[in-house]
Amino acid sequence: MNKITNHMPTAELQALDAAHHMHPFSSGAELAEVGARVMKSAKGVMLTDSEGVEILDAMAGLWCVNIGYGRDELADAAYRQMKELPYYNTFFMTTHVPAIALSQKLAELAPEGFNNVFFAGSGSEANDTNIRLVRHYWAAKGQPERKVIISRKNGYHGSSVGSASLGGMTYMHEQGDLPIPNIHHIDQPNWWAEGGQMSEEEFGLERAQQLEKAILEIGPEKVAAFIGEPVQGAGGVIVPPDNYWPEIQRICDHYGILLIADEVICGFGRTGEWFGSTTYNIKPHIMTIAKGLSSGYAPIGGSLICDEVAHVINHAGEFNHGYTYSGHPVSAAVALENLRILEEEKIVDRVREETAPYLKEKWEALVDHPLVGEAKIKGMMGSLALTPHKESRAPFKAPKGTVGFYGRTRSFSNGLIMRHVGDRMIISPPLVITKDEIDLLIERAVTSLDETYAWAKSEGHMQA
Ligand code: PXG
């Protein structure tokens, strides 16, 4: 039996963790000094740590636990599938029922004209698939020179070499010699931080038209695709101006380049529709999916592929690509059960019609807080831009993220997982959050903002 149990003292678990476990996006030295917070169990929207402290998880894990924690049906689905067929691959002309059933279900849920899925183990893997797939598509159409993929600064598409290259996080590119060739980044539609004197509308158009400029500079005959998240998540919940996506769509259509919507966060109800593309009326050729597909209960990702692209790929010989866990039967069975619950319990409808409007009203009211300059929300993903001076939208003089990090620390202490990206506070709660739980979320967020404001004033951070 494994000696390491949930009943060890927290300090011992933390010491073992720091000694042997290297964490994503963390400093090992800091972990050794401070110790990681050990999560023990969860139910609904509440996590419990190793000290028995309950915390409202307003991030749904990492933007993924859409149906909330503790649904036995998913555990049962995994158990049944593990007993029946724990593993088989989908390479070399084989398949199995969970992969078939999940593909069919996804074709039913996806917008019209999306009848195919290529499975992966994660969002990163799926975006790596997309890089190879769009280039292979154009080669099969006799245009192999179409290789360039255009994406956005501060976009997030994953952490593998390919997907991190698509992403526009410079602090990631700095490690490991990224991006790979033939990826081009344009500016993001973040009006609060980058809009200057422009109105949101002027800015939305300017940022979208950067795509056209880039296409013309590179040469339209060399551009394969554009990729973007309908709402940027990891970049700080950047809700784009209303005219941004229509203009991006026009440009993609005009130059005949493929449009990839990265739905890893936005998919499966987060924006109040099954896909962010529906919310924004985007007509993509490919949609990256992961996270909410299984509500994070089992690792799975994939690329939903429109009929025209699927037809070309399917008739271009073998696609020499795939992962051991593409369409993993246990993950597929869990995802299928998750989709059944989302659908039968009308969770997406409730988000759109009831809980998201309720949260929106309360969240947007936070703009009156003295520390908050902008309060943005789309469905169940929200952000607050903290500022010392609302009118000028000035950043703090303290290094970026100083105040945001303090806010996050207060929030965690107040029993709320609300994160920060720089000096933006972000939330993305489970879609099953109730109105009472939304009240609690807001109450804890306000306490944390009050404490952060008092501290920022005393530290002299409120001077613009
Ligand atoms: N696309 C998007 C839009 C994502 O948000 C990925 C792709 C990659 O998925 P995988 O499953 O490979 O992680 C993501 C993941 C953060 C954070 O700090 C966000 C993600 C992952 C890790 C941290 O907000 N998003």
Side-chain angles (χ1 to χ4, degrees):
M1 208 176 97
N2 196 334
K3 286 191 309 217
I4 299 168
T5 74
N6 241 343
H7 308 294
M8 268 183 163
T10 300
E12 272 181 51
L13 288 169
Q14 287 172 327
L16 284 171
D17 182 70
H20 305 296
H21 177 197
M22 296 174 80
H23 291 234
F25 289 84
S26 306
S27 144
E30 195 187 338
L31 275 171
E33 208 182 297
V34 186
R37 187 168 196 167
V38 184
M39 295 304 182
K40 193 173 130 264
S41 60
K43 186 90 192 152
V45 301
M46 289 292 179
L47 288 160
T48 304
D49 72 11
S50 55
E51 295 294 294
V53 177
E54 268 204 349
I55 320 145
L56 197 166
D57 183 9
M59 284 307 299
L62 260 183
W63 324 78
C64 56
V65 188
N66 288 12
I67 62 163
Y69 296 97
R71 292 296 301 245
D72 288 347
E73 301 92 323
L74 273 65
D76 293 342
Y79 179 77
R80 280 195 307 271
Q81 188 57 46
M82 273 203 194
K83 300 256 277 194
E84 175 95 11
L85 180 73
Y87 177 77
Y88 202 74
N89 67 71
T90 52
F91 284 49
F92 317 131
M93 314 286 288
T94 58
T95 191
H96 46 67
V97 173
I100 298 167
L102 182 59
S103 313
Q104 188 269 331
K105 186 72 206 170
L106 285 167
E108 192 187 306
L109 291 172
E112 212 187 314
F114 278 86
N115 288 295
N116 288 271
V117 57
F118 192 102
F119 286 117
S122 66
S124 300
E125 285 181 5
N127 276 327
D128 277 17
T129 296
N130 293 340
I131 295 173
R132 298 196 59 207
L133 190 126
V134 298
R135 290 175 177 167
H136 180 50
Y137 165 87
W138 284 116
K141 300 240 307 178
Q143 300 182 56
E145 66 286 358
R146 277 200 193 251
K147 288 194 174 90
V148 177
I149 303 174
I150 300 174
S151 63
R152 297 158 330 155
K153 294 174 190 164
N154 200 38
Y156 190 87
H157 300 294
S159 198
S160 59
V161 171
S163 62
S165 295
L166 291 177
M169 305 298 187
T170 45
Y171 59 91
M172 291 176 76
H173 293 167
E174 281 158 11
Q175 300 175 345
D177 202 17
L178 303 183
I180 55 169
N182 290 314
I183 309 285
H184 182 92
H185 297 91
I186 60 174
D187 288 323
Q188 59 170 335
N190 180 350
W191 176 78
W192 175 266
E194 301 175 7
Q197 298 305 310
M198 278 185 261
S199 69
E200 276 199 73
E201 236 196 331
E202 289 165 343
F203 177 74
L205 217 53
E206 188 272 330
R207 287 292 147 114
Q209 286 172 355
Q210 281 198 19
L211 175 60
E212 188 156 36
K213 286 208 185 88
I215 292 170
L216 292 171
E217 250 172 61
I218 296 160
E221 71 291 349
K222 292 194 182 132
V223 179
F226 171 76
I227 182 168
E229 305 149 81
V231 176
Q232 288 156 261
V237 183
I238 312 298
V239 180
D242 288 340
N243 58 353
Y244 178 78
W245 276 111
E247 185 65 3
I248 291 280
Q249 182 78 56
R250 181 194 68 77
I251 295 164
C252 288
D253 291 349
H254 182 75
Y255 294 96
I257 70 170
L258 297 177
L259 175 51
I260 308 170
D262 187 333
E263 296 270 1
V264 168
I265 287 177
C266 292
F268 306 101
R270 185 141 303 280
T271 66
E273 299 286 348
W274 279 90
F275 297 94
S277 292
T278 309
T279 298
Y280 283 96
N281 196 25
I282 305 166
K283 306 271 178 255
H285 297 89
I286 297 173
M287 296 195 288
T288 321
I289 54 173
K291 294 192 190 275
L293 168 58
S294 66
S295 281
Y297 280 58
I300 186 165
S303 306
L304 289 172
I305 299 162
C306 76
D307 295 348
E308 199 263 326
V309 173
H311 181 82
V312 171
I313 298 291
N314 282 335
H315 293 84
E318 279 187 19
F319 183 30
N320 300 319
H321 177 76
Y323 308 105
T324 300
Y325 300 136
S326 286
H328 191 285
V330 176
S331 297
V334 169
L336 209 53
E337 186 61 9
N338 172 61
L339 297 179
R340 184 190 68 73
I341 289 175
L342 277 174
E343 204 176 18
E344 284 186 14
E345 297 183 6
K346 301 193 184 335
I347 292 172
V348 183
D349 298 341
R350 195 164 69 240
V351 166
R352 183 179 56 250
E353 280 151 34
E354 244 178 82
T355 45
Y358 187 77
L359 175 61
K360 180 179 161 77
E361 195 188 321
K362 306 208 162 225
W363 190 257
E364 287 181 345
L366 296 177
V367 79
D368 294 332
H369 192 279
L371 193 56
V372 176
E374 173 187 74
K376 285 281 189 188
I377 187 152
K378 200 73 178 177
M380 285 284 172
M381 52 200 301
S383 55
L384 305 172
L386 308 185
T387 178
H389 193 250
K390 295 176 188 235
E391 288 69 37
S392 64
R393 313 204 304 275
F396 296 100
K397 291 228 176 68
K400 191 175 165 188
T402 308
V403 179
F405 178 73
Y406 189 86
R408 184 194 91 135
T409 310
R410 290 320 310 147
S411 175
F412 280 29
S413 301
N414 291 321
L416 176 69
I417 299 207
M418 169 168 73
R419 279 186 29 211
H420 79 114
V421 175
D423 294 309
R424 287 183 89 83
M425 306 311 296
I426 58 169
I427 58 161
S428 170
L431 305 186
V432 293
I433 192 167
T434 63
K435 289 183 178 175
D436 283 351
E437 288 163 343
I438 289 173
D439 290 343
L440 189 63
L441 185 165
I442 296 290
E443 188 189 306
R444 292 180 179 178
V446 169
T447 306
S448 309
L449 288 169
D450 288 347
E451 290 171 359
T452 305
Y453 179 57
W455 168 84
K457 263 199 308 199
S458 73
E459 295 286 311
H461 293 320
M462 291 310 291
Q463 266 79 316

